[in-house]
């Protein structure tokens, strides 16, 4: 059957925006629909795009309590609350003082208190409500089934008292955005690091000087005795993200790099590609544990270790840069 035909009517809260600092709140009963209630627990379901969920916290903008509901039960006149302030505006005032073309966008939630559950039934539809001179009232025509609300076993009316609430969040469209772009082969993207007296190095990590590519400083690092699964049979090399240049937007940074161990006698370099998102914090490294086997490295005829020196090279092939720009 049609949803409205199945309901006994609904208690509705609406907001009437009536000033640049303002809007108002009506409580009235809608009784045009008659019929039988098929599911009194529908209040936690989604109907006609409206969602209803339980919440522990009180509404942040306005609460209206009616002590003596039986006095107004069945009446058709609306109740208008007093003026109240929420989200930097006053609600329930006139709009004549507002500039021509005024507009306020609102994320609106309405509430029905359930003392039995010690919770608030929270009603929203997820849509931004645009208050302006042509549309000064927003709300939900079907806040809660009247049969459910007036059933004392449901817990909304206790000792002839009931409470309603509202929460208003002003939605201001962003005028700036964080834009991430990827730069291929950025300027000054090749860094060379020569390590002398390799045979005298200790079993620890050594780090290069920092070098700037894009908006971020980087460095190379390795342990001459090996690292991770490559230890002690292979030589590792890692790229580390460091700090940011002055005035840069500090965010995760994409770094794609060709890591090389240079052959000092030919162009037969050892090269591995690495790419990752580097977090904002400094010192995060990504690389490989086995750019070359130690046996091949120490074979001086192969040309990688010459005069007890090795040469690493990092070619940054792509980095991300983040800027704050207008939308």
């Amino acid at each position: 059957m049609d949803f409205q035909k199945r309901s006994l009517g609904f208690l509705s809260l609406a907001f009437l925006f009536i000033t640049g600092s303002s809007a108002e709140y009506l409580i009235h009963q809608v009784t045009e629909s008659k019929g039988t209630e098929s599911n009194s627990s529908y209040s936690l379901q989604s109907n006609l795009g409206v969602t209803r969920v339980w919440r522990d916290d009180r509404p942040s903008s306005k609460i209206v309590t009616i002590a003596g509901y039986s006095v107004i039960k069945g009446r058709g006149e609306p109740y208008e609350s007093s003026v109240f302030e929420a989200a930097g505006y006053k609600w329930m005032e006139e709009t004549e003082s507002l500039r021509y073309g005024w507009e306020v966008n609102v994320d609106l939630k309405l509430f029905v208190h359930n003392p039995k559950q010690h919770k608030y039934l929270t009603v929203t539809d997820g849509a931004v409500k645009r208050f302006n001179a042509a549309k000064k009232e927003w709300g939900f025509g079907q806040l809660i089934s009247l049969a459910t609300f007036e059933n004392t076993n449901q817990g909304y009316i206790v000792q002839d008292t009931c409470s309603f609430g509202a929460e208003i969040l002003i939605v201001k469209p962003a005028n700036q955005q964080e834009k991430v772009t990827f730069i291929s082969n950025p300027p000054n993207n090749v860094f060379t690091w020569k390590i002398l007296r390799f045979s005298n190095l200790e079993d620890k990590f050594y780090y290069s000087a920092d070098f700037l590519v894009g908006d971020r400083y980087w460095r190379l690092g390795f342990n001459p005795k090996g690292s991770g699964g490559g230890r002690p049979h292979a030589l590792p090399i890692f790229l580390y993200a460091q700090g940011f240049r002055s005035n840069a937007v500090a965010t995760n940074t994409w770094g794609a790099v060709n890591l090389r161990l240079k052959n000092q006698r030919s162009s037969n370099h050892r090269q591995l590609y690495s790419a990752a998102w580097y977090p904002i914090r400094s010192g995060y490294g990504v690389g490989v544990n086995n750019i070359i086997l130690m046996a091949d490295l120490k074979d001086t005829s192969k040309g990688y270790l010459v005069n007890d020196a090795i040469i690493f090279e990092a070619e940054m092939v792509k980095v991300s840069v983040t800027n704050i720009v207008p939308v």
Side-chain angles (χ1 to χ4, degrees):
M1 295 178 65
D2 180 82
F3 178 77
Q4 289 190 349
K5 290 181 180 178
R6 287 190 286 106
S7 24
L8 291 175
F10 295 86
L11 191 72
S12 169
L13 277 79
F15 270 80
L16 177 63
F17 186 86
I18 317 190
T19 185
S21 349
S22 70
E24 146 61 350
Y25 161 43
L26 308 174
I27 304 175
H28 60 91
Q29 297 174 10
V30 181
T31 56
E32 291 85 351
S33 301
K34 307 283 185 185
T36 57
E37 174 76 9
S38 64
N39 182 2
S40 64
S41 64
Y42 90 100
S43 58
L44 298 184
Q45 301 172 359
S46 176
N47 293 283
L48 302 179
V50 176
T51 60
R52 298 167 175 85
V53 296
W54 291 118
R55 193 174 98 173
D56 294 330
D57 296 329
R58 293 191 300 273
S60 62
S61 300
K62 180 72 171 181
I63 295 176
V64 172
T65 297
I66 306 296
Y69 175 75
S70 60
V71 176
I72 61 171
K73 180 178 178 180
R75 305 287 301 184
E77 308 98 314
Y79 171 83
E80 298 183 358
S81 78
S82 60
V83 174
F84 64 97
E85 293 188 10
Y89 290 85
K90 288 184 178 180
W91 301 81
M92 187 52 189
E93 289 185 348
E94 296 303 322
T95 59
E96 283 75 8
S97 61
L98 294 177
R99 72 182 188 282
Y100 178 77
W102 64 270
E103 183 176 279
V104 178
N105 296 320
V106 170
D107 179 5
L108 176 65
K109 294 183 178 71
L110 300 179
F111 300 80
V112 185
H113 187 219
N114 190 308
K116 184 177 180 179
Q117 299 284 347
H118 301 290
K119 295 179 184 294
Y120 285 85
L121 181 67
T122 308
V123 182
T124 186
D125 62 2
V128 173
K129 313 302 181 189
R130 182 168 295 172
F131 290 89
N132 53 38
K135 180 68 173 177
K136 301 177 182 178
E137 178 180 338
W138 284 98
F140 308 105
Q142 298 176 348
L143 186 72
I144 183 174
S145 161
L146 195 59
T148 298
F149 175 74
E150 292 183 343
N151 184 342
T152 55
N153 292 327
Q154 293 290 331
Y156 292 99
I157 301 175
V158 176
Q159 295 181 352
D160 203 25
T161 298
C162 55
S163 291
F164 307 90
E167 197 162 85
I168 299 168
L169 173 65
I170 302 301
V171 179
K172 295 182 178 180
N175 54 23
Q176 291 183 324
Q177 61 181 323
E178 183 174 301
K179 186 175 182 180
V180 181
T181 55
F182 296 88
I183 303 174
S184 298
N185 300 315
N188 305 312
N189 66 326
V190 177
F191 174 77
T192 302
W193 182 28
K194 188 172 185 178
I195 297 98
L196 304 175
R197 296 182 291 278
F198 179 82
S199 61
N200 293 331
L201 297 179
E202 300 176 16
D203 185 2
K204 66 178 184 179
F205 266 83
Y206 291 82
Y207 300 96
S208 72
D210 290 354
F211 57 96
L212 178 66
V213 180
D215 282 349
R216 193 155 193 182
Y217 290 93
W218 309 84
R219 67 168 52 169
L220 295 176
F222 82 109
N223 186 324
K225 307 303 180 183
S227 176
R231 184 184 177 92
H233 305 294
L235 186 71
I237 181 65
F238 297 92
L239 175 71
Y240 294 85
Q242 298 302 105
F244 294 83
R245 67 169 176 80
S246 178
N247 299 321
V249 179
T251 64
N252 277 26
T253 310
W254 179 257
V257 61
N258 288 322
L259 294 169
R260 299 190 186 102
L261 175 66
K262 299 277 286 184
N263 189 306
Q264 300 177 58
R265 294 197 174 121
S266 73
S267 60
N268 187 28
H269 310 305
R270 294 296 180 95
Q271 176 176 300
L272 289 170
Y273 174 80
S274 173
W277 280 109
Y278 290 79
I280 295 174
R281 64 180 175 84
S282 298
Y284 182 84
V286 178
V288 294
N289 288 322
N290 55 347
I291 196 165
I292 192 173
L293 293 175
M294 290 294 189
D296 291 334
L297 175 67
K298 293 177 181 179
D299 184 345
T300 55
S301 67
K302 294 186 180 293
Y304 297 102
L305 180 65
V306 176
N307 296 327
D308 203 24
I310 62 172
I311 299 174
F312 283 123
E313 190 172 83
E315 180 190 12
M316 303 293 292
V317 295
K318 185 167 291 186
V319 296
S320 65
V321 174
T322 302
N323 292 288
I324 304 301
V325 299
V327 175

